[in-house]
Amino acid sequence: MSVRGRSIAGLASLLTLSACALLNPMALTRLAALDPLEIAPEQMSVAAVMPVPLKLRTGDVVLHFAMEAPAPYGPVNEALPLEIVSGDNAPGVSASPSFERIQVARVAQADLARLAAAQAKARAFKATGRKDGKGSISVTIKGGCRDGAINPGALAAEIFMRSQADEQYFLVSSVNLRKLLTDDAIAKLPLCDPRQG
């Protein structure tokens, strides 16, 4: 369920994007160029193309930033439930409206300071040159709901990411959810609350 990117010198940090699939080979190059300590929290976002009738809700996508390091730098363990916003403005992401939907997840305004503080601690530790710490940043899809009947056949989902607001999203992974989830697990997905759009 996870894909791995580059280690960060001095921190042995690992960028991990969990999306229930293997890493798209082209995404490896893009992820290798990212430094998770320098990504502005308000600019990082994930876009998911989900098969209708599956839907993500706020809190179904979680950003986890963790670091094991001696005091005063660590430990850091922040799990931030991302908020789902409109998927209409997701450059680089396309979907067929008749059977797919695009949803974008980002760090909620109330959590931006927490992530920025965690990154600052990690940068401060990295600046010491010590090698006795390790850290990770991950994005995981942990849930979902359905707003209609699920038809038999493939349930293809694609996960995209970007680290800057002025860039296009790039494809990280794609997967047939039926190969990862049992029919029973899919059938037990809760119905979406119509009040949540």
Side-chain angles (χ1 to χ4, degrees):
M1 288 211 18
S2 63
V3 293
R4 289 184 170 22
R6 79 171 209 194
S7 291
I8 297 175
L11 181 61
S13 184
L14 191 63
L15 176 65
T16 305
L17 182 68
S18 297
C20 299
L22 298 176
L23 179 62
N24 175 303
M26 290 188 66
L28 184 58
T29 303
R30 295 287 300 269
L31 288 172
L34 294 179
D35 183 344
L37 303 186
E38 301 303 326
I39 296 173
E42 68 278 1
Q43 295 197 26
M44 198 276 304
S45 62
V46 173
V49 177
M50 301 294 287
V52 172
L54 302 182
K55 195 173 183 182
L56 297 171
R57 304 156 298 180
T58 291
D60 285 338
V61 183
V62 177
L63 175 77
H64 189 218
F65 189 101
M67 182 179 70
E68 293 177 28
Y73 308 103
V76 173
N77 189 11
E78 293 288 356
L80 309 170
L82 301 184
E83 67 178 352
I84 301 296
V85 295
S86 171
D88 296 336
N89 187 17
V93 181
S94 62
S96 299
S98 59
F99 60 92
E100 295 175 313
R101 68 172 52 126
I102 300 172
Q103 293 185 274
V104 174
R106 67 179 181 199
V107 179
Q109 187 71 34
D111 293 328
L112 292 174
R114 284 174 54 201
L115 180 55
Q119 289 175 299
K121 281 188 172 186
R123 282 193 299 271
F125 177 73
K126 180 180 176 182
T128 68
R130 294 176 62 167
K131 308 287 185 193
D132 57 340
K134 61 182 180 177
S136 66
I137 184 169
S138 65
V139 178
T140 307
I141 295 177
K142 294 191 166 214
C145 63
R146 56 187 173 87
D147 59 2
I150 298 175
N151 296 322
L155 289 174
E158 294 181 319
I159 306 300
F160 296 77
M161 181 181 176
R162 74 175 178 185
S163 60
Q164 296 179 25
D166 61 351
E167 71 181 7
Q168 290 199 358
Y169 287 86
F170 61 94
L171 179 65
V172 175
S173 63
S174 58
V175 66
N176 179 354
L177 298 175
R178 288 201 183 275
K179 292 186 176 181
L180 297 167
L181 301 172
T182 65
D183 288 340
D184 189 48
I186 292 171
K188 288 183 178 176
L189 283 172
L191 290 172
C192 300
D193 184 341
R195 295 171 296 178
Q196 295 180 340

